[in-house]
Amino acid sequence: MSGGHSTYTPSTGLGKWIDARLPLPRLVYDSFIAYPVPRNLNYAYTFGGILAIMLVSQILTGVVLAMHYAAATGLAFDSVEKIMRDVNSGWLLRYMHANGASMFFMAVYAHIFRGLYYGSYKAPRELLWILGVIIYLLMMATAFMGYVLPWGQMSFWGATVITGFFTAFPIIGDPIQQLLLGGFSVDNPTLNRFFSLHYLLPFMIAGVVVLHVWALHVTGQTNPTGIEVKSKTDTLPFTPYATVKDAFGMILFFILFAYFVFYMPNYLGHPDNYIPANSLKTPAHIVPEWYFLPFYAMLRAITFNIGPIDSKLGGVLVMFGSIAVLFLVPWLDTSKVRSAVYRPWYKLFFWLFVVNAIFLGWLGSRPAEGSYVHMAQFATLYYYAFFLVIMPVLGLIETPKRLPNSITEAVLAKSKNGGLMAGVTAAPETKG
Amino acid sequence: MSAHDTAEPTRRDFLYIATGMAGAVGAASLAWPFIDQMRPDASTLAAASVEVDISSVTEGMSLTVKWRGKPIFIRNRTPKEVDDAKNTALSALKDPIARNANLASDAPATDIDRSAGAGKEKWLIMVGICTHLGCIPLGESGEYGGWFCPCHGSTYDTAGRIRSGPAPENMAIPPYQFVSDTHIKIG
Ligand code: HEM
Ligand code: FES
């Protein structure tokens, strides 16, 4: 789509006939075969393809689960148990769906961290980044509502706590919560609408993915050097180079996925969700799914009032703000250099951010008492400082390393030093 | 957009604006039922009040009943619990308002205003939902001998008043009345 003009030439009569009427094969050819990709992409760049395939996997397994699932409070838990015990291969499909959600989030976190490391959000890719954040938000909403469907204790209480966030807002809070729940507490109307939306949202995600890929193909991919493509020798055709690399990454990812599904299918879940929902008994320790834990930790870190904002509203604002700040990242980073490879200080702070995010996740799984609260407060501070202080200030004061003149130069320099990539030539596609 | 380059609005300008307005109003009014259907429905609203026999709730015991899908704690407090709550200064409270639907909205959170009133002070009847994010606190636990919320660690005293943790308000007192000495009507 971007790389200038289309090089597609239909060879058969039928091909020509279709091309003149609906040039879909041309679109596919230009986007996934001839499409030029930077020649130095590493495995951090394979998560986009992995995410696409995980979305397909969730939709396929979800649609078949829906054939056996009953969205009513009296039936839901038993229908899921029936899927596990009676439906042919039902256990496999459900474990694929439940663990698939976790794998989906692992991939999206890798994908987002890749973006933060290589500066993928910087001009001209701001909209591409923002569309990504929107996909991430939709994924969170989908996964949250999906987790309510089996109607176990964690489903019920997770839904209660998360819809309770809205009651933090003065005046409009309670009406909004009632609108979400369809009542005064989580009940049958809630389960029904969550099922409807859980079915709908993945297709909306698919729609935003189309926009995301469209925007990608307008600007082209970034690459580990952060230098834009300048000449033809900087790129390779998508097929076979990127296709094969992506496929290999996917296979490794699927091995991990299969390991979870077959050997530890409940490891990432919570045992309390195998207890039917009971609206009169809160489990001793409510925790969300692992992929929400860092945000949960930030929610609970705010135990003090901030001026007129009470601790409850403060926690909710800090939690929502931690995602909202992602939208601003393209404008918060003031550095002229895109990639962390050439930014020694940014690299350090970036890895601290990763460690901090994992630490927050761990804190989210701990009870909110004693020193855990103080640690969470400290980690929340770093989370925000990374975006609001380090990103803008570091870009102005850091001295970056010398940048190579082009991707080709960087690749050739590397092969000279390492010897590993010997045989890399200026035109690898003719290497034979 | 007129055929003649005059400053005067033409009939066509008028039609554009009128059509646009009709379209906007039409779209907005069509959107309303789609939002409106999300609100609590008639059957949910109809479950308005319940009557409870409390004769079996002896001193130091509690009963939980369901009202509008929410748990209602009915507790027959011990004299010690009442005294503990009475002896707490209002200034020590995080939320100094009674939150009692049967009293004025600015009634102070004294023990008498939290309880069923003079002569019935041992009765504490409240919505058993943590005012933080909606979990159900555990009874006779926590630092203040009242309730402890396992979700994010809020503690309430023996009058159901918030004392520590992230919850902002005292647990709510629903509208209720004693229909006889042994029966109450909630809602
Ligand atoms: C973005 C894609 C999706 C994600 C992240 C996702 C996530 C989830 C999660 C986390 C659960 C709870 C699993 C459990 O613990 O049992 C779930 C359940 C469920 N999902 Fe999805 N889902 C997605 C797409 C879909 C689609 C497209 C459908 C189609 C109808 C669907 C249908 C269901 C059904 C019927 C259940 C209940 C059965 C069960 O709990 O295993 N899902 N989903
Ligand atoms: S819901 Fe009770 S402390 Fe959060």
Side-chain angles (χ1 to χ4, degrees), chain A residues 184-200:
Chain A
F184 304 100
S185 54
V186 176
D187 212 332
N188 202 50
T190 321
L191 181 59
N192 264 307
R193 66 193 54 192
F194 279 14
F195 182 48
S196 169
L197 293 174
H198 183 70
Y199 210 133
L200 169 71

Side-chain angles (χ1 to χ4, degrees), chain A residues 54-55 58-67 69 80 83 94 97-98 100-101 104-105 138-139 142-150 195 198-199 201-203 205 273 289 291:
Chain A
M54 284 316 295
L55 179 61
Q58 288 304 96
I59 290 181
L60 284 179
T61 51
V63 167
V64 293
L65 284 173
M67 295 178 186
Y69 172 78
V80 172
I83 290 172
R94 170 155 184 262
H97 195 75
F104 202 177
F105 275 93
L138 288 171
M139 275 174 68
T142 309
F144 157 62
M145 290 192 270
Y147 196 58
V148 177
L149 303 183
F195 182 48
H198 183 70
Y199 210 133
L201 287 189
F203 295 92
I205 294 178
N273 223 25
E289 293 274 82
Y291 35 82

